[in-house]
Amino acid sequence: MKKFLPLIFLLISVISFSILTEEQSRAFLSEAIKLWSEGKYAEASLKMDDAMTGSISAREIPWFWYVKAKIDIYNDQVDAARENLKTLLTITNIPEIMELYKKIEVFNSPENFEVKDYKLKFVNSVSGKEGLTEYFYSPVGLAVYGEKVYVIDKKNKRLIVLDDFKMSNIIKLPYNPRSIAVDSFGKVYISSEDSIYTLENQEPIYTGLKSPIIAGVDRANRLVVVDASKIYIFSDGVIEKNLPLPTIALDCDINYENLYILDAFSNQILVYNLYTLELKNRIKLKDKIWSFEVTPAGQLIYFDGNKIIAGGNEFKINSTPMFIEYSYPHLFVIDWKSDTINWYLLKDDLPIFVKVESFETSDATLTAHVCLEDYFGDDIYLAKDFLNIYEEDVREFAQIEGEQDTIYPTSDISNSLLTDRFLGKVIVKNDRWKFTGGAPIEFEKRGKFKWKITYNYAKIFPLPLVKVSVKFEVADEKFTDIFVYTEEVVNGGEANKGD
């Protein structure tokens, strides 16, 4: 009997002792939604409290409580949201409600993650030749930002830009490119045989190097380079670290906390803390490799013939890799033999964080602003083909484009990590930095890539409350966030009563 008491209380509270009519309750809900979309979360909470005192139709009960739980999370009242959702799930099994509840459970103890499984799925391929035209011949690396893929072709001294994975631009370079990376603002860095360049600058920004390989740009927007027997970190100044001798660096990569260096001499991967440059580990390799990548969770990806090995999982592919590049959850196989770049989805079993930040309507369209992040709070790119928007579970034809924002880090944390994730905080100098796209050191700012999804919404309101779902559908999984709107929200606070 005890387990049914919360359910009985929920039903009684919205049916038996109602003070407001359904229309009045919905009007308060509408005000709460508008305040939430404007970032006025405390005021939105008060309006939701008012909304919950009135009559609510049976169909709308789950969504009133969902909106209340969501606003509670924004206001750092995650325990209250958890209990309300737990109670709600005793009377419904709506997947979106279950997913929000799971987010609360997962990010209550995020450090307890464990990656066991991967899925690999082919997406697309681009050829270096089209008829008699040669676009690339010997690509040696690529980097991703937004919907753009930047490919460097060493022999032809070219940078090829793919937009929506189609040829968009070819830029001639005055040097032989060797490696490439893009920072959180979309700035492109390219290494030559002895220097570092930016795409917009034909003159090198760093010179006097021996054989630089760009490992990446870290969360603090520092350029991380491995050069022969040294590590360089370039920002306002230069940090240097000598590698143990002898070391022959063939490849390198970073994730949110570590630098990984493939040493051909010892056939090991040296693991350094990215921020202290302390040597943390030596990973012994069974096979001889010359190209590898690292997942956000710190597991290795490499190839052996036509097999991709990811975290110990093996996948056969119809390709012969020369190099691989990884931008979670996208794996790119550079195949010199077939003169192609093959795009795969390589997804682990960690959840992807989808968050609708806000939305607005015009006379004809609704636009949602969406953040798409991995488990650790870093942006996910190349999302157009996998993002969908549904109105009342009907998929809508939508225009999707990227938008750039700037985030300023903070050391001010909420009681709950999930609240910080929903608020979009980038945390520094606190252990929570790992799961918010932050760093253990202070830095000025970082870029934030968001997705703007626009579609023609229903002008006629057959339902007084409309549910909209944004779904990232990838590797047979769906990751969702939802919002609801009403006629009052669309019409600026006044329902259309008709003649």
Side-chain angles (χ1 to χ4, degrees):
M1 179 64 185
K2 287 183 179 179
K3 68 179 181 180
F4 292 106
L5 289 178
L7 171 60
I8 295 170
F9 177 76
L10 183 152
L11 294 173
I12 291 174
S13 65
V14 297
I15 297 174
S16 301
F17 300 109
S18 302
I19 300 173
L20 306 175
T21 65
E22 287 184 12
E23 290 76 15
Q24 289 171 323
S25 293
R26 202 174 298 117
F28 279 118
L29 171 71
S30 301
E31 290 185 56
I33 293 169
K34 287 186 288 184
L35 289 166
W36 162 80
S37 195
E38 294 169 2
K40 300 174 181 177
Y41 307 122
E43 295 175 52
S45 180
L46 294 175
K47 292 298 181 183
M48 275 311 301
D49 289 342
D50 291 335
M52 302 306 292
T53 65
S55 296
I56 304 172
S57 73
R59 175 193 171 273
E60 296 177 4
I61 286 175
W63 304 117
F64 269 70
W65 283 97
Y66 181 94
V67 173
K68 177 171 173 52
K70 196 83 167 286
I71 291 174
D72 281 344
I73 293 171
Y74 275 91
N75 284 292
D76 209 8
Q77 299 173 7
V78 175
D79 288 343
R82 178 194 288 111
E83 290 307 309
N84 286 334
L85 290 173
K86 187 176 181 180
T87 301
L88 187 57
L89 286 168
T90 64
I91 61 170
T92 181
N93 59 354
I94 297 173
E96 295 92 340
I97 294 174
M98 175 62 75
E99 183 165 348
L100 182 58
Y101 182 77
K102 286 182 178 178
K103 279 181 181 176
I104 294 174
E105 294 298 293
V106 167
F107 287 99
N108 186 47
S109 301
E111 65 281 353
N112 294 333
F113 72 90
E114 183 179 5
V115 175
K116 296 181 179 179
D117 192 25
Y118 286 84
K119 295 178 181 178
L120 183 76
K121 184 176 182 180
F122 176 77
V123 178
N124 204 348
S125 181
V126 62
S127 175
K129 292 181 180 179
E130 188 174 315
L132 297 177
T133 304
E134 182 180 83
Y135 294 107
F136 57 77
Y137 176 73
S138 55
V140 293
L142 63 80
V144 181
Y145 180 80
E147 280 297 306
K148 288 184 169 60
V149 179
Y150 298 92
V151 182
I152 48 174
D153 183 346
K154 186 175 182 179
K155 184 174 181 179
N156 288 323
K157 295 184 179 181
R158 289 176 178 173
L159 175 72
I160 300 96
V161 183
L162 307 177
D163 201 342
D164 289 336
F165 216 60
K166 298 179 179 65
M167 295 291 178
S168 173
N169 196 11
I170 297 176
I171 301 169
K172 190 68 177 175
L173 302 173
Y175 50 85
N176 289 315
R178 186 179 183 195
S179 59
I180 185 170
V182 185
D183 73 10
S184 62
F185 292 97
K187 187 175 184 178
V188 179
Y189 295 90
I190 304 171
S191 75
S192 68
E193 299 298 336
D194 60 4
S195 302
I196 306 290
Y197 297 78
T198 60
L199 180 57
E200 65 270 18
N201 194 340
Q202 297 291 353
E203 297 297 321
I205 57 172
Y206 303 113
T207 59
L209 303 173
K210 297 178 181 178
S211 184
I213 309 172
I214 299 175
V217 182
D218 69 13
R219 289 173 167 185
N221 280 315
R222 306 180 308 165
L223 182 67
V224 183
V225 175
V226 176
D227 181 41
S229 59
K230 276 190 177 182
I231 300 169
Y232 290 95
I233 297 181
F234 299 100
S235 55
D236 294 335
V238 181
I239 300 172
E240 299 180 23
K241 170 80 172 184
N242 289 322
L243 292 170
L245 294 176
T247 297
I248 303 174
L250 288 183
D251 198 5
C252 53
D253 198 11
I254 62 173
N255 69 351
Y256 68 93
E257 66 174 345
N258 293 321
L259 165 64
Y260 300 78
I261 302 171
L262 172 58
D263 176 21
F265 182 83
S266 64
N267 198 38
Q268 295 179 343
I269 290 180
L270 310 178
V271 184
Y272 286 85
N273 182 294
L274 193 53
Y275 298 97
T276 66
L277 294 184
E278 173 191 359
L279 180 61
K280 296 173 60 176
N281 194 13
R282 294 173 180 264
I283 303 173
K284 294 182 179 180
L285 301 171
K286 296 180 181 179
D287 306 308
K288 291 284 186 179
I289 65 174
W290 64 86
S291 177
F292 80 102
E293 292 291 297
V294 177
T295 70
Q299 295 193 334
L300 301 182
I301 307 170
Y302 59 96
F303 58 89
D304 180 11
N306 67 340
K307 292 188 297 184
I308 296 292
I309 296 93
N313 297 266
E314 293 188 4
F315 303 93
K316 284 189 177 182
I317 59 174
N318 295 320
S319 186
T320 306
M322 176 59 70
F323 301 101
I324 58 172
E325 299 285 355
Y326 192 57
S327 175
Y328 184 86
H330 310 286
L331 176 70
F332 300 92
V333 175
I334 297 173
D335 186 342
W336 282 12
K337 187 176 181 180
S338 64
D339 198 20
T340 58
I341 299 174
N342 298 311
W343 173 15
Y344 295 84
L345 288 172
L346 180 61
K347 170 73 177 60
D348 58 21
D349 47 15
L350 293 177
I352 287 174
F353 196 87
V354 182
K355 178 185 66 173
V356 178
E357 282 205 330
S358 62
F359 72 94
E360 68 264 2
T361 61
S362 68
D363 290 340
T365 62
L366 185 150
T367 298
H369 302 273
V370 180
C371 290
L372 194 61
E373 301 169 345
D374 67 19
Y375 187 79
F376 303 93
D378 290 308
D379 293 334
I380 290 177
Y381 301 133
L382 294 178
K384 273 187 182 180
D385 291 340
F386 312 102
L387 269 176
N388 293 299
I389 194 162
Y390 297 79
E391 187 169 280
E392 288 298 325
D393 300 321
V394 176
R395 182 178 172 183
E396 301 289 340
F397 176 78
Q399 178 183 352
I400 303 176
E401 55 188 358
E403 51 186 5
Q404 173 70 54
D405 199 359
T406 300
I407 303 293
Y408 297 91
T410 179
S411 57
D412 180 25
I413 64 170
S414 307
N415 291 322
S416 168
L417 169 63
L418 187 59
T419 296
D420 287 335
R421 288 293 292 262
F422 271 105
L423 291 174
K425 288 184 180 181
V426 171
I427 304 298
V428 294
K429 299 181 70 175
N430 181 285
D431 286 345
R432 201 171 285 181
W433 69 268
K434 295 180 181 181
F435 303 99
T436 59
I441 61 173
E442 290 185 344
F443 59 96
E444 181 184 358
K445 59 186 177 181
R446 70 170 297 180
K448 183 67 182 176
F449 198 86
K450 302 177 183 180
W451 299 94
K452 185 168 71 171
I453 308 176
T454 302
Y455 74 100
N456 293 318
Y457 69 93
K459 291 185 179 180
I460 301 174
F461 282 81
L463 298 172
L465 184 151
V466 181
K467 177 192 73 171
V468 180
S469 306
V470 176
K471 298 185 180 183
F472 185 63
E473 301 175 285
V474 60
D476 301 321
E477 294 181 276
K478 296 180 181 180
F479 303 94
T480 309
D481 194 19
I482 70 168
F483 61 94
V484 299
Y485 71 86
T486 65
E487 192 170 4
E488 291 93 332
V489 170
V490 170
N491 292 332
E494 184 174 337
N496 193 352
K497 303 297 184 183
D499 295 331

